[in-house]
Amino acid sequence: MSDQLSLMGFEAPPPAVPTDRLFFALQPSMAACEQITALGKVLSETHGLHSKLIAPERLHITLHHLGDHAGVPADVVEAAGRAAVRLACSPFEVVLDRAMSFRMRRDKAPFVLRTAEGQDGALMDFQRELGLAMAREGLGHSVDVRFTPHVTLTYAPRELPESPVEPVRWTVREFVLIHSLLGKTQHRVLGRWSLPVPSQA
């Protein structure tokens, strides 16, 4: 179609540059955020890093990406909301007990806290159930099949060795839909859903 328009003397407009990112996430509790930030400072000093730490209010575990967009698509937000209310999962605990790097991306390597080995079953199940709910609402193309639970501390100039750390724990009682303004390091919560506490028999 664009070739036909060119032949007719018309140029197709360039694709819009993405400015907004949407994703489901878990946010650490206030106490966990404080512990993660303090741990990040210690690890940065230990490894001689000068990269900026992620701000406490932006710490999170990404569950599923819902794409990068030019503007915030109302249909995606609405479908995400419908998927979110489908879940009936109970609160569960997250444990982060080791620091490690992911592979370099361009000139930076994400330095992260990872979930405890063998103790992330509830988190993995929750992420999977959310993905199934998304698929039922037409968002199956956005489901992250490969899921490595982590909280990013900073983007380091080199890859760092894996090391155990003092465990960071919190109980997940809710999840959120986040709107990230690309290039502006700003997060806005568009939706928040609580996990129901099981009733006592």
Side-chain angles (χ1 to χ4, degrees):
M1 183 65 178
S2 59
D3 291 340
Q4 293 176 352
L5 289 174
S6 296
L7 291 173
M8 296 170 61
F10 296 100
E11 291 293 336
V17 176
T19 53
D20 306 87
R21 175 173 295 163
L22 299 175
F23 59 93
F24 279 118
L26 302 179
Q27 295 177 314
S29 65
M30 186 177 297
C33 281
E34 292 175 355
Q35 187 178 353
I36 291 169
T37 298
L39 185 56
K41 291 178 181 178
V42 170
L43 291 170
S44 291
E45 292 175 1
T46 299
H47 294 290
L49 300 179
H50 300 289
S51 51
K52 188 176 181 179
L53 292 173
I54 301 296
E57 64 272 14
R58 293 177 57 234
L59 294 171
H60 66 276
I61 294 176
T62 299
L63 297 168
H64 293 282
H65 288 93
L66 282 82
D68 292 350
H69 310 272
V72 180
D75 58 335
V76 175
V77 173
E78 291 169 2
R82 293 194 302 270
V85 298
R86 282 180 173 270
L87 294 185
C89 300
S90 300
F92 58 91
E93 186 178 56
V94 165
V95 182
L96 307 172
D97 69 350
R98 53 186 172 140
M100 63 174 291
S101 288
F102 289 154
R103 290 183 179 179
M104 294 284 288
R105 299 176 182 175
R106 298 176 183 173
D107 58 344
K108 297 179 181 180
F111 187 46
V112 309
L113 294 181
R114 282 284 310 276
T115 53
E117 279 288 350
Q119 297 187 43
D120 57 0
L123 173 53
M124 299 295 286
D125 289 344
F126 177 78
Q127 191 265 356
R128 189 180 306 111
E129 289 298 317
L130 179 55
L132 291 173
M134 289 169 57
R136 295 188 189 103
E137 295 298 337
L139 296 174
H141 60 282
S142 295
V143 173
D144 291 332
V145 179
R146 296 181 181 179
F147 179 48
T148 304
H150 66 278
V151 172
T152 301
L153 296 171
T154 188
Y155 291 90
R158 64 184 188 279
E159 293 183 20
L160 301 168
E162 182 177 334
S163 61
V165 297
E166 180 181 354
V168 178
R169 304 172 184 269
W170 80 91
T171 299
V172 174
R173 304 184 189 279
E174 64 179 15
F175 64 106
V176 295
L177 176 64
I178 290 179
H179 168 211
S180 173
L181 283 74
L182 295 176
K184 297 183 179 181
T185 63
Q186 294 181 29
H187 284 177
R188 297 173 177 171
V189 175
L190 298 184
R192 190 183 300 273
W193 297 272
S194 298
L195 303 185
V197 177
S199 59
Q200 298 295 325

